[in-house]
Amino acid sequence: MQSYNKQKILEDYGLTSDKNTILFFAGGEFGFGKDKTFNRLKAIIDNLPNLQVVAVAGRNEKMKERFDELVKTTRTESNVKILSFTNQVPELMSVSDLVITKPGGLTTTESLASGLPLIIIDPLPGQEEENAEFIENSGAGIWVKDSDLELCHFCSFLLGFLPKMSSSFANPKLFPLRPPVGKTAVFHQ
């Protein structure tokens, strides 16, 4: 794994080292589930104001425009950075505490290799659902299947445990993200 100058990366993106950072991937260039993805980012911005978010819209310019407008409307320019396609994903992962993504092959592999906890959202039927099941069953991530509120709860949960987890994601069995069967937490709205 390559080493990066984290302070420089934080400065380059206008981020600080005193806040947790979520790396949020919007999903493919065709914008599958674009309203749902937009609403998930909005929920994070609305419910977790003490975090920093780097949202990568990829090649989907319409999604980037919607994200930019959301940041402007919510006046969260200092905490939320919106990017188009970038080849700086490893650098961004090096300064992030958590990745939220669809379970495509490349981003999922990069996240697992970086040792970052994953929250999986909105997989497409077929291979992405299989990836989501594998990630969750292996304890390397959580598949959020329901509400945006559930997404926010799991972000808070994982970020609250980060100091205790350290590098355990390199070996998910040391700290599985889902509680054992019969020990599931229930969140009420």
Side-chain angles (χ1 to χ4, degrees):
M1 195 64 122
Q2 187 170 345
S3 174
Y4 297 100
N5 181 337
K6 293 181 181 184
Q7 192 57 44
K8 178 164 179 10
I9 295 165
L10 290 168
E11 289 171 10
D12 288 349
Y13 286 96
L15 302 169
T16 65
S17 60
D18 63 338
K19 293 182 180 180
N20 287 114
T21 303
I22 293 175
L23 185 55
F24 181 95
F25 289 97
E29 68 182 283
F30 303 108
F32 296 112
K34 59 187 173 243
D35 289 334
K36 195 171 191 178
T37 303
F38 176 85
N39 290 335
R40 291 197 184 277
L41 179 60
K42 184 175 183 328
I44 292 167
I45 291 170
D46 290 346
N47 294 293
L48 302 170
N50 295 323
L51 301 176
Q52 299 175 124
V53 179
V54 177
V56 180
R59 291 187 168 94
N60 186 334
E61 286 305 314
K62 288 182 182 177
M63 182 71 76
K64 183 181 183 311
E65 289 170 12
R66 287 189 73 197
F67 284 177
D68 283 335
E69 185 61 31
L70 173 64
V71 169
K72 183 178 176 184
T73 302
T74 57
R75 299 179 182 179
T76 54
E77 295 89 346
S78 62
N79 286 345
V80 182
K81 310 302 177 187
I82 307 300
L83 305 177
S84 298
F85 174 83
T86 179
N87 58 5
Q88 302 293 304
V89 171
E91 291 86 345
L92 291 168
M93 286 186 175
S94 77
V95 298
S96 296
D97 300 296
L98 174 66
V99 173
I100 299 173
T101 187
K102 291 171 56 58
L106 186 56
T107 304
T108 300
T109 301
E110 287 178 305
S111 300
L112 292 171
S114 72
L116 289 171
L118 284 159
I119 293 182
I120 301 300
I121 57 171
D122 312 322
L124 295 174
Q127 187 62 51
E128 285 191 2
E129 281 186 344
E130 291 175 20
N131 290 348
E133 287 175 4
F134 173 80
I135 290 163
E136 186 167 65
N137 290 338
S138 69
I142 296 172
W143 178 3
V144 173
K145 300 173 186 168
D146 296 318
S147 72
D148 298 334
L149 183 61
E150 180 187 35
L151 173 64
C152 293
H153 281 297
F154 278 120
C155 287
S156 294
F157 169 78
L158 291 176
L159 293 172
F161 278 97
L162 278 175
K164 298 173 188 164
M165 292 191 269
S166 65
S167 63
S168 63
F169 285 97
N171 183 354
K173 291 182 180 179
L174 295 177
F175 193 91
L177 295 182
R178 282 282 189 193
V181 175
K183 307 276 186 196
T184 304
V186 176
F187 297 106
H188 299 280
Q189 290 182 309

